[in-house]
Amino acid sequence: MNAYDLSLEELSEHLATWGEPPFRARQVFDGLWRRAATYEELTDLPRALRERLAEELPTRLEVITERDADGGATRKGLLRLGDGHVVEAVLMAYPHRMTVCVSSQTGCAMGCGFCATGQMGLLNNLTGGEIASQVVWAHRAARVARPEAEKPLTNVVFMGMGEPLANYRHTRDAVGRLLDPAGLDLAARHVTVSTVGVVPGIRRLAEDHPQVGLAVSLHAADDDLRSELVPVNRLWPLDELEQAVADWRGLTHRRPSIEWTMIDGLNDDARQARLLAPLARRMHAHVNLIPMNPTPHFGYGPSPPERLRRFADIVRGGGVPVTVRDTRGREIDAACGQLHWDAAATAPSEHPVGDRELPAREDLEAATR
Ligand code: SAH
Ligand code: SF4
C-alpha cells in the first residue's frame, strides 16, 4: 500500500486500527502533502510511529536523476514511484506561476507516431497516488527554487507520459488528491487534463471534476489526416469528439484548449488552418501551436517559423485566439512528447510504430466506468 493513495479519511481509518488518536492522521497527511516531507523528516511524530508508517504504509517517491535546462527554469525528474514504476515529470518556472507536467502512465498505448512516449508502447497504468506524488516532488523542488513564495507550485498539467483518460479512475483520484483542502489544496482551475480524444473519459471528467481544465490534442482537422496522425481518431472521429467537447462545455462552462503539434509538411498547410478555424470557434477553444519536438523514431521535423506564422495568422483571422508555445526543456528531452526514458538507446526495430494495435473502444469505455 502507498500512503499517497489514501485520502485523509482513509488514512484516519487506517491509523485508528493501530490505536492512534485522530489528530495523528491529520498530522501525517499534512506532513506528506503540505510539507512534502518523508516520514523520517516528521520528527514531531513518535519514532515508533514513524518506523511503523515506513514499514506498513510506505511513500515511495525516489528521485533517480534530475536535470535542469533553460537556465534553471526547467527541471526534469526521473522518478521511481509507489509500486516501482518509473516516469518523468517536468517542473517549469514562469514569472507568475510554476507548472508541473505529470505522467499518468508509463508509456502510452495510443500510438501517435510523432510522440516518444507513444513509440515505447504502454507498460503500466499509474495509481492516483503515483500520479499525485509527482506533484509532491515538484512542490519540494518549487519551494527550493522560490523559498519566499507561500505556495510556489501553482499549476498542474497532465501532459507528461501517457493518456490520462485511458487511465481514467486513477486520473480522477489523482485530481481529487491535488485539490484536497487538507493537502496540497490546488485550485481546480489551475489543473488541466490533456487528452488525445478518449470521448467517454471527457464526459466523465466533466461530471467528476467540473472545474478542471481540458486540453484536446487535435493535430488535424479532417478525419483522414487525423486518423493517420492520431490513431484513436478511428475509434472516436472528429464529430464525436466535437460533441463530447460541447457536452463538456455545457457542464463546466469553461473554454477548452486545442493542442496542435506543428509537423513540417504534414499538418501545417493553409488547408488545415482553414479547417481548424471554424472547428475551434465552434468548440470555443483557444489554440496552442507546439512546434514539433524531435523524437527518435519519427521521420519529420518541426514546421519552419514562416509556415508556423502563416498557419497561426489564418487561424487567428478566423477569430480564434492562438498562442505559439515555447519549446521548454527541449535540450534535455523534457519538452512535450519527448518523455521516454533512454529513448536514444532503444533501437527503432523495437518500436514498430504504426502497426501496434490500439486498445478496443469497449475496453477504453470500461476503463471510465
Ligand atoms: N496523452 C495526452 C497527454 C500527454 S501528451 C495527449 O496526447 O494529449 C502532451 C502533449 O504533447 C499533447 O498535446 C501531444 O500531442 C504533444 N506532443 C506529443 N509528441 C509531441 C512532439 N514530438 N512534439 C510536440 N508535442 C508533442
Ligand atoms: Fe499517448 Fe499523448 Fe503521446 Fe499520443 S501524444 S502517444 S496520446 S502520450
Side-chain angles (χ1 to χ4, degrees), residues 11-309:
L11 183 68
S12 304
E13 284 166 16
H14 202 87
L15 294 197
T17 66
W18 297 0
E20 293 292 339
F23 74 88
R24 283 287 185 226
R26 192 166 276 278
Q27 218 178 346
V28 173
F29 199 78
D30 186 85
L32 292 183
W33 294 99
R34 293 207 182 176
R35 290 161 65 189
T38 61
Y39 290 135
E40 243 168 66
E41 291 162 338
L42 295 179
T43 47
D44 45 348
L45 298 178
R47 174 187 292 275
L49 177 59
R50 276 185 275 149
E51 284 171 2
R52 184 161 185 195
L53 282 163
E55 184 71 26
E56 296 180 35
L57 272 185
T59 58
R60 191 154 181 197
L61 173 52
E62 184 191 331
V63 180
I64 301 171
T65 53
E66 281 181 320
R67 289 184 73 186
D68 285 346
D70 307 316
T74 305
R75 163 165 290 218
K76 178 169 82 167
L78 180 67
L79 310 173
R80 186 175 285 117
L81 306 170
D83 220 8
H85 299 143
V86 175
V87 297
E88 291 182 324
V90 184
L91 178 65
M92 293 160 284
Y94 299 91
H96 300 293
R97 67 191 151 94
M98 261 205 193
T99 301
V100 63
C101 176
V102 296
S103 296
S104 54
Q105 300 179 308
T106 47
C108 183
M110 299 296 126
C112 311
F114 50 87
C115 167
T117 311
Q119 289 163 10
M120 65 188 276
L122 177 66
L123 304 186
N124 281 107
N125 281 323
L126 300 182
T127 69
E130 287 175 323
I131 299 170
S133 60
Q134 296 165 59
V135 182
V136 173
W137 163 77
H139 180 40
R140 251 181 125 109
R143 247 187 355 215
V144 174
R146 294 209 175 132
E148 71 292 350
E150 196 187 323
K151 263 192 164 184
L153 182 76
T154 53
N155 295 57
V156 178
V157 293
F158 285 66
M159 292 187 183
M161 300 166 78
E163 167 50 46
L165 300 184
N167 182 20
Y168 181 75
R169 281 186 294 266
H170 292 137
T171 293
R172 173 200 62 198
D173 293 350
V175 172
R177 203 92 328 127
L178 302 182
L179 307 185
D180 189 338
L184 282 170
D185 193 23
L186 290 170
R189 304 184 82 78
H190 291 171
V191 175
T192 301
V193 172
S194 178
T195 180
V196 73
V198 176
V199 159
I202 295 175
R203 296 187 194 283
R204 286 298 304 273
L205 187 68
E207 289 161 13
D208 292 334
H209 290 299
Q211 296 299 313
V212 160
L214 180 72
V216 179
S217 299
L218 207 64
H219 311 309
D222 69 74
D223 280 321
D224 283 348
L225 182 60
R226 192 162 193 271
S227 291
E228 199 180 306
L229 292 180
V230 176
V232 80
N233 192 72
R234 299 171 205 158
L235 305 184
W236 290 285
L238 280 167
D239 56 347
E240 286 191 54
L241 179 56
E242 186 180 344
Q243 187 57 50
V245 172
D247 296 345
W248 178 85
R249 281 189 46 246
L251 282 167
T252 64
H253 309 293
R254 296 201 56 178
R255 250 174 188 271
S257 72
I258 288 176
E259 311 296 305
W260 189 288
T261 296
M262 294 288 291
I263 311 172
D264 187 18
L266 269 188
N267 65 350
D268 59 351
D269 53 25
R271 181 174 167 272
Q272 284 298 321
R274 282 192 212 104
L275 287 171
L276 170 59
L279 182 57
R281 230 176 20 240
R282 291 197 301 274
M283 287 187 180
H284 296 259
H286 182 117
V287 170
N288 288 314
L289 301 178
I290 319 163
M292 195 198 117
N293 294 302
T295 59
H297 309 297
F298 193 62
Y300 294 81
S303 307
E306 57 284 11
R307 262 178 104 81
L308 205 137
R309 211 171 311 119

